[in-house]
Amino acid sequence: MKIEILVAAVHQDVRLLAQKMKIQTDAIIINQCDRFGVDEFELDGSRVRAFSFAEKGVGLNRNNALMRSDSDICLFSDEDIVLCSGYKTIIEQEFVNHPGADLIMFNLEVDERRATYHNTSFKRVRWYNYGRYPTYSIAARVDRLRYANVSFSLLFGGGARYSNGEDSLFLHDCLQKGLKLYASPRYIGAETYRASTWFHGYDAKFFIDRGVLYHYLYGRWAALFSWRFLWAHKQEICAEIKPGEAYKLMRQGIRE
């Protein structure tokens, strides 16, 4: 079973990055910077292919990696992830033990300020709990992704028009196409904390962008889920913009 890491990077020295991430399998690094170029090298017996593109957008970055993958299993990753020793065996074992799984979301150690999930057992991921998983937790069977014809949105995420949500949209599309998603309690690495590249506070743009995202995720139920989101998190997110005004901004995003 061939496993390949697909790394989204921005303005990195790709050889140093591969070492810093402790990559132990084949890998593709898409480095968004100010030039075009290709670099291929070996790292402890594994093949690393690095492509530098003068462009931006995390969805475009991940699609560029996915379309070039020739592996059985791909693991999406970011430049601030450090992989644990033996992650290849962990991923391989989970897919061998669960042949019906098309995608598996693994645990990573993250700063508590960014923690959105923690898997305590192997379980099915469905419509009511898929939105908590970041892209860097996802390993997938490449042929199943291609069979379902799913890819990452170019509208959402760092460097795109709308600030975040490309991971939720990707998993939404996978579920809609009938792929089977699971969560594993196994750990495969850790995130090195850094300031967010897209979050600048709970301002008007945050709520408008969230409204646009909810249109794609929930369709005609977008307004209802917007109010549910604000009610559940109002103490945290509505200190500067009151819930009523935030709801109007999310409705503006839904219409947009």
Side-chain angles (χ1 to χ4, degrees):
M1 184 179 290
K2 181 179 178 181
I3 296 174
E4 193 168 47
I5 310 299
L6 308 183
V7 182
V10 179
H11 293 291
Q12 292 291 315
D13 180 318
V14 293
R15 291 177 179 252
L16 289 177
L17 177 62
Q19 295 174 10
K20 184 179 71 173
M21 292 182 65
K22 298 184 179 179
I23 289 175
Q24 305 143 43
T25 57
D26 288 358
I28 296 176
I29 300 174
I30 304 297
N31 187 35
Q32 294 184 336
C33 53
D34 56 358
R35 62 184 178 86
F36 290 93
V38 180
D39 188 13
E40 184 171 328
F41 55 94
E42 280 197 5
L43 180 64
D44 297 329
S46 297
R47 179 182 66 155
V48 179
R49 290 179 287 161
F51 301 86
S52 295
F53 294 127
E55 57 193 28
K56 64 179 182 178
V58 68
L60 181 59
N61 187 308
R62 298 199 193 280
N63 289 340
N64 272 326
L66 180 58
M67 69 188 294
R68 290 170 170 82
S69 179
D70 57 7
S71 62
D72 300 308
I73 304 294
C74 70
L75 172 68
F76 296 103
S77 195
D78 291 334
E79 63 185 43
D80 57 354
I81 298 298
V82 178
L83 297 157
C84 70
S85 177
Y87 70 84
K88 177 183 185 296
T89 301
I90 294 171
I91 295 171
E92 188 173 28
Q93 286 176 345
E94 289 291 64
F95 276 99
V96 168
N97 292 338
H98 304 92
D102 298 314
L103 290 84
I104 298 178
M105 275 69 81
F106 289 88
N107 279 329
L108 288 94
E109 295 180 9
V110 300
D111 187 279
E112 62 180 11
R113 290 167 289 184
R114 287 171 54 84
T116 59
Y117 76 100
H118 176 247
N119 304 325
T120 57
S121 62
F122 195 90
K123 58 186 177 182
R124 187 80 176 264
V125 174
R126 299 186 184 274
W127 292 102
Y128 51 82
N129 61 352
Y130 74 92
R132 67 188 65 179
Y133 293 101
T135 309
Y136 59 73
S137 71
I138 302 171
R141 298 186 192 271
V142 174
D143 62 340
R144 296 297 296 165
L145 294 181
R146 289 175 177 159
Y147 177 80
N149 194 27
V150 292
S151 59
F152 287 88
S153 171
L154 305 185
L155 278 175
F156 295 88
R161 178 171 180 175
Y162 302 109
S163 52
N164 76 315
E166 80 288 348
D167 40 13
S168 296
L169 277 170
F170 178 74
L171 294 176
H172 169 274
D173 291 348
C174 287
L175 286 167
Q176 195 170 51
K177 292 295 182 70
L179 297 183
K180 294 181 175 62
L181 282 60
Y182 289 85
S184 168
R186 307 286 300 275
Y187 278 85
I188 59 170
E191 179 192 45
T192 303
Y193 179 76
R194 60 176 179 174
S196 173
T197 59
W198 65 266
F199 181 71
H200 304 291
Y202 298 106
D203 54 11
K205 178 173 172 52
F206 172 86
F207 292 109
I208 292 172
D209 288 3
R210 183 56 60 108
V212 178
L213 175 63
Y214 276 27
H215 162 75
Y216 284 100
L217 292 179
Y218 304 118
R220 63 177 179 172
W221 302 103
L224 178 62
F225 276 90
S226 296
W227 184 252
R228 177 181 177 275
F229 168 73
L230 292 170
W231 181 260
H233 303 285
K234 61 182 179 180
Q235 298 298 328
E236 175 188 357
I237 67 177
C238 292
E240 296 183 14
I241 298 179
K242 299 305 179 185
E245 182 60 29
Y247 182 66
K248 290 180 182 178
L249 291 169
M250 291 188 71
R251 288 294 298 268
Q252 178 182 331
I254 293 169
R255 292 192 297 272
E256 180 177 331

